[in-house]
Amino acid sequence: MQSTSNQQTTFGNLLKHHRKLRNFSQLDLALASDVSQRHISFLESGRANPSQEMILQLATVLDIPLREQNVMLTTAGFAPIYSESDLSSPEFEPIRKALDFILLSQTHSPVLIMDRYWNLIQTNPVSQRLINWLIDSEDLHNRFYIDGKINLMRLMLHSQGLKPFVSNWEEIVSHLIKRVYREAIADDNNEQPRQLYQELMTYPDIPQLWKLSNSQSWQMPLLTVNFFKAGLHLNFFSAIATLGTPQDIMLQELRIETLFPADEITQKNLVELN
């Protein structure tokens, strides 16, 4: 992985990085943001300094996450404007109630709430039963409870995690490691996504799966994850939701993943876990 953090971190470098990441030419960005291409060029080369309004305008066009917008502001000499709060903050009580409603309203599907690093924050009773069925709670705690959190990518990719219980593990992991990689290069000024990616790449078989083509799954409308244990098969597809129009970094980065049964057998076997 090549990192812009190893280069001189300037606003111009960051703007160029995000522009290229989204496949925008300087002309594309100029037209979309109603700014001259000459000015975009000057901003990237350092011949012109951006105003705070210009930074936010370009960030909106490029759909840059709030965390990265703060980085762009500080590199240009401005104070960051977006907060990063804790979900337990009193002002987030309505949001906590909404998340609890989502978790408890799904009585037949596992729901997991995680942060941007795939650390588990909350689960509903169905997902807790699923996890406890797949992996012994003591093993889960001893092997995967790190810094007070369980990382779902570690749990899925590690050979002592869920690997023995996923019949299509190689296909699933090939997709997941590529996703972790994309997130790491998209968030180039944050060490944590890159460290997670580098750690996962040390696990057995993962470097080979990173190179694996996903062409076999292109014929399928959705890739499902197939769990099996003790004669029971559970086949799920997932949907990941985020909160709309967040103005806080933590809220923007929350992910709510729901695992839906992909067939009637899974619906029936889920009842067996109760």
Side-chain angles (χ1 to χ4, degrees):
M1 292 179 61
Q2 185 178 8
S3 169
T4 58
S5 59
N6 294 328
Q7 306 170 9
Q8 182 182 8
T9 302
T10 65
F11 172 79
N13 284 341
L14 291 178
L15 177 59
K16 186 175 182 179
H17 168 73
H18 287 292
R19 176 177 62 77
K20 288 189 172 182
L21 198 63
R22 287 152 181 81
N23 294 317
F24 272 50
S25 66
Q26 287 187 347
L27 179 60
D28 293 333
L29 180 56
L31 293 173
S33 56
D34 196 25
V35 178
S36 72
Q37 182 179 358
R38 177 186 175 89
H39 190 55
I40 297 295
S41 176
F42 277 23
L43 288 174
E44 291 188 354
S45 67
R47 295 176 65 184
N49 295 319
S51 65
Q52 183 185 69
E53 181 182 4
M54 176 60 66
I55 294 172
L56 298 177
Q57 180 178 340
L58 295 174
T60 299
V61 171
L62 292 173
D63 194 26
I64 297 174
L66 303 184
R67 181 183 296 275
E68 288 299 300
Q69 291 189 40
N70 273 352
V71 173
M72 295 180 76
L73 286 164
T74 55
T75 57
F78 299 101
I81 64 174
Y82 296 109
S83 63
E84 184 174 4
S85 307
D86 190 275
L87 192 57
S88 62
S89 300
E91 63 268 27
F92 291 154
E93 182 179 0
I95 296 169
R96 291 196 299 274
K97 288 182 177 179
L99 294 175
D100 288 341
F101 175 80
I102 293 171
L103 289 170
L104 297 177
S105 63
Q106 287 289 356
T107 57
H108 301 293
S109 295
V111 183
L112 309 100
I113 299 177
M114 64 200 86
D115 65 19
R116 68 195 300 264
Y117 308 113
W118 301 91
N119 294 314
L120 192 60
I121 297 174
Q122 283 181 272
T123 63
N124 69 341
V126 186
S127 61
Q128 195 59 57
R129 288 195 297 270
L130 174 63
I131 293 172
N132 291 340
W133 173 67
L134 288 169
I135 187 167
D136 180 77
S137 58
E138 186 175 346
D139 288 342
L140 179 68
H141 188 275
N142 292 339
R143 293 172 180 166
F144 297 100
Y145 200 73
I146 302 173
D147 297 329
K149 300 171 184 175
I150 293 174
N151 186 276
L152 294 174
M153 284 294 177
R154 289 190 183 106
L155 186 61
M156 179 62 80
L157 273 63
H158 199 282
S159 59
Q160 294 180 308
L162 297 180
K163 179 179 180 179
F165 312 111
V166 181
S167 59
N168 60 338
W169 183 82
E170 291 188 355
E171 191 174 20
I172 291 294
V173 168
S174 177
H175 281 268
L176 291 181
I177 191 60
K178 291 180 177 68
R179 178 165 186 165
V180 174
Y181 172 76
R182 290 195 301 269
E183 292 177 353
I185 62 172
D187 194 0
D188 205 39
N189 288 279
N190 189 338
E191 288 293 327
Q192 246 182 293
R194 185 160 52 252
Q195 289 172 354
L196 176 62
Y197 168 76
Q198 291 171 345
E199 176 191 335
L200 297 175
M201 288 293 284
T202 67
Y203 294 178
D205 302 321
I206 302 302
Q208 291 77 18
L209 293 176
W210 190 95
K211 302 173 184 177
L212 184 67
S213 169
N214 301 126
S215 59
Q216 291 182 347
S217 64
W218 290 349
Q219 306 300 321
M220 303 163 53
L222 279 174
L223 179 62
T224 61
V225 55
N226 306 320
F227 296 110
F228 72 98
K229 187 180 180 183
L232 288 182
H233 290 260
L234 299 173
N235 188 18
F236 296 102
F237 66 90
S238 69
I240 297 180
T242 57
L243 296 175
T245 61
Q247 294 298 302
D248 179 89
I249 293 172
M250 181 276 300
L251 293 182
Q252 185 182 59
E253 295 174 349
L254 278 182
R255 301 168 177 174
I256 307 163
E257 181 168 13
T258 305
L259 301 179
F260 293 100
D263 50 49
E264 292 184 3
I265 294 177
T266 299
Q267 290 179 329
K268 176 181 177 295
N269 286 343
L270 269 177
V271 177
E272 304 271 337
L273 301 183
N274 291 333

